[in-house]
Amino acid sequence: MIPPTEGGGRGHGRPAGEPGLARAAELIRDARRIVVVTGAGVSAESGVPTFRGREGLWRDHRPEDLATPAAFHRDPRLVWEWYEWRRSLVGECSPNPAHRALAELQVRKEADILTQNVDGLHALALERVGADGVVEARLLELHGSLFRLRCTACSWETSSREPVDASSEATLPHCPECGALARPGVVWFGEALDRGVLEEAFRLASSADTCLVVGTSAVVQPAASLPLATARAGGVVVEVNPEPTPLTNLAAVSLRGSAGEVLPRLLEG
Ligand code: BV8
Ligand code: ZN
């Protein structure tokens, strides 16, 4: 693990070793209200490819080229083929120690999780932590889920882990209500996030005194602005990422390391 570094408004990547971790753990322990913002990096150790770098590509298609309404309109079969490849890959993945540490934080400190991920692994971790008593903590899937389908024409939608046959347009899923083509229940680039979810996310971020931001390159808006909402309201930001990001300057502490290694140590309570 790369030693944690001190962030803190100066945003330098100076190796701070254990003191950075101890300081971050103290901020989390003393927090009254924690919001957690996660990106693809929190699922990397579960084997889910992130969007950056080579592993984010599929047959040389970039996510930005396929995760758009225009791509789906142009070639729904190709887009469904990409989503089915991801659904079958993610369907074999399990929550890693990072997801489990965050699920325990949800139970122990009623931390709210605002995730950009569409892999469903936070929800699985929360189920497995046996968090039947979790009333307060929220899990907002800002960009939807690979395992939700919705109609392109009416309000029908459903959760499904059933394989999709993307071999031809005729075998693609169609709406049982109106017969129109069904689409993945995710938010594409250029599409607005669900208004209620987005308002709730910014309400939670603005009312938290601590924002833990894990495994995101912080380039996709509006999600990348959530930690800013905590900071603007006077809260502190703690970052966990092997690399610096546009949020590192904002962080009181920016820990250089992988989520699966850092979070269990950071959140041990
Ligand atoms: C909107 C679901 C407005 C789909 C996703 C210019 C042109 C066009 C649009 C824009 C533009 N400028 C801004 C925009 C808006 C655009 C945007 O932000 N574009 C970016 C690319 C500039 N945003 C939108 O379009 C949003 N909608 O703005 O609507 C609007 C309003 C009204 C009416 C109409 C429209 C919608 C954005 C949602 C897109 N959907 N996902 C799908 O998944 O198929 S985004 C998708 O990519 C993810 O959900 C996530 O948000 C993003 C990837 O980011 P990360 O999660 O951070 O992952 P990444 O791979 O980038 O980084 C991984 C990180 O983990 C790295 O930092 C790495 O160091 C770290 N890491 C690696 N290993 C580990 C680790 N960390 C810890 N541990 C490890 N082991
Ligand atoms: Zn329909």
Side-chain angles (χ1 to χ4, degrees), residues 122-159:
H122 282 302
L124 270 184
L126 197 53
E127 272 170 39
R128 294 185 186 170
V129 154
D132 45 7
V134 174
V135 180
E136 282 311 306
R138 290 165 190 76
L139 168 61
L140 297 186
E141 292 178 319
L142 303 171
H143 295 157
S145 167
L146 290 173
F147 304 110
R148 267 209 291 280
L149 276 69
R150 61 185 166 88
C151 178
T152 53
C154 77
S155 60
W156 173 83
E157 67 173 324
T158 190
S159 293

Side-chain angles (χ1 to χ4, degrees), residues 21-100:
L21 191 70
R23 181 155 144 66
E26 186 187 12
L27 289 170
I28 300 283
R29 217 177 9 260
D30 296 349
R32 178 186 43 78
R33 190 120 201 86
I34 301 172
V35 72
V36 185
V37 175
T38 67
V42 83
S43 297
E45 287 145 284
S46 296
V48 180
T50 66
F51 287 76
R52 293 159 60 90
R54 283 297 302 161
E55 87 279 13
L57 290 175
W58 175 72
R59 296 191 193 161
D60 290 337
H61 290 288
R62 294 179 327 133
E64 287 80 12
D65 301 336
L66 289 176
T68 70
F72 188 75
H73 182 72
R74 191 171 49 245
D75 189 344
R77 200 205 60 72
L78 176 71
V79 173
W80 259 119
E81 196 179 357
W82 177 52
Y83 276 94
E84 186 50 23
W85 173 75
R86 290 171 71 193
R87 291 169 91 246
S88 57
L89 185 152
V90 168
E92 302 295 315
C93 297
S94 297
N96 69 60
H99 295 108
R100 282 197 292 279

Side-chain angles (χ1 to χ4, degrees), residues 131-257:
D132 45 7
V134 174
V135 180
E136 282 311 306
R138 290 165 190 76
L139 168 61
L140 297 186
E141 292 178 319
L142 303 171
H143 295 157
S145 167
L146 290 173
F147 304 110
R148 267 209 291 280
L149 276 69
R150 61 185 166 88
C151 178
T152 53
C154 77
S155 60
W156 173 83
E157 67 173 324
T158 190
S159 293
S160 167
R161 286 180 175 262
E162 287 303 304
V164 162
D165 177 355
S167 56
S168 77
E169 283 222 17
T171 57
L172 290 180
H174 284 74
C175 172
E177 309 280 320
C178 74
L181 189 57
R183 55 165 282 181
V186 296
V187 180
W188 280 328
F189 289 102
E191 284 189 322
L193 280 66
D194 175 279
R195 189 185 170 83
V197 170
L198 191 57
E199 284 174 357
E200 174 74 347
F202 274 97
R203 189 184 67 74
L204 292 170
S206 312
S207 54
D209 56 3
T210 307
C211 176
L212 173 60
V213 54
V214 187
T216 183
S217 58
V219 293
V220 172
Q221 295 297 348
S225 297
L226 288 164
L228 283 175
T230 304
R232 284 210 182 103
V236 293
V237 175
V238 173
E239 180 180 43
V240 177
N241 196 315
E243 297 172 8
T245 75
L247 293 174
T248 299
N249 278 339
L250 180 78
V253 186
S254 188
L255 301 172
R256 285 292 158 273

